[in-house]
Amino acid sequence: MSLSDPIGDMLTRIRNAGRAKHESCVIPGSKIKRSILELMKEEGFINGFEPVTNGSFEDFKVALKYDLTKRPVIRELVRVSKPGRRVYMKSEEIRPYKNNMGTMILSTSKGIMTSKKARKLRVGGEVICKLS
């Protein structure tokens, strides 16, 4: 099966698993997905992830995170830049998202990073997604 937006598929799998109160979900692996998941772990949106071999392919098993009332920590997970419409931001345009309670993940010339780090390094790039 060929996907036109594998990152969007990853975000949808995480969003749906959280709404269904699953402990984890399995995502087909790639380098960009690994770096997005690492940022989500650093920012505290997921508990972690581990590579799982699926034949000759590598998948990721993502451990979802919930608060004390069993609500998902990820309240909002939105894909911003899509294959049909790319969204870019200059470093001067990057603002705090949701009063610094959320974060944006950007693909910059210096790698995948959060909006806070991109603003600090004064680099812009493609907005991959928004989390809160």
Side-chain angles (χ1 to χ4, degrees), residues 3-4 11 15 21 47 62 79 95-96 106 109 128:
L3 292 172
S4 62
L11 299 176
R15 187 182 322 112
K21 307 271 193 274
N47 281 330
V62 180
R79 174 83 159 121
R95 299 280 179 251
L106 286 91
S109 59
I128 297 174

Side-chain angles (χ1 to χ4, degrees), residues 27-30 34 51-54 56-60:
I27 296 167
S30 73
R34 176 185 292 272
V52 178
T53 56
N54 181 10
S56 61
F57 298 105
E58 183 180 61
D59 292 343
F60 297 119

Side-chain angles (χ1 to χ4, degrees), residues 13-15 17-25 37 39-49 61-77 131-132:
R13 286 180 190 225
I14 293 172
R15 187 182 322 112
R19 288 181 181 166
K21 307 271 193 274
H22 292 294
E23 287 184 22
S24 63
C25 66
L37 289 172
L39 286 175
M40 290 172 79
K41 183 180 176 185
E42 286 174 16
E43 293 292 316
F45 289 107
I46 60 174
N47 281 330
F49 67 97
K61 184 175 181 181
V62 180
L64 301 175
K65 190 172 186 178
Y66 297 92
D67 61 9
L68 297 175
T69 61
K70 304 292 185 204
R71 287 178 43 201
V73 170
I74 299 174
R75 306 262 194 267
E76 179 184 41
L77 182 57
L131 295 131
S132 67

Side-chain angles (χ1 to χ4, degrees), residues 108-131:
T108 67
S109 59
K110 298 189 179 188
I112 307 280
M113 62 182 71
T114 62
S115 57
K116 295 172 192 170
K117 187 174 179 185
R119 194 170 352 128
K120 187 188 214 180
L121 295 176
R122 296 185 149 209
V123 292
E126 180 182 353
V127 183
I128 297 174
C129 64
K130 294 180 180 181
L131 295 131

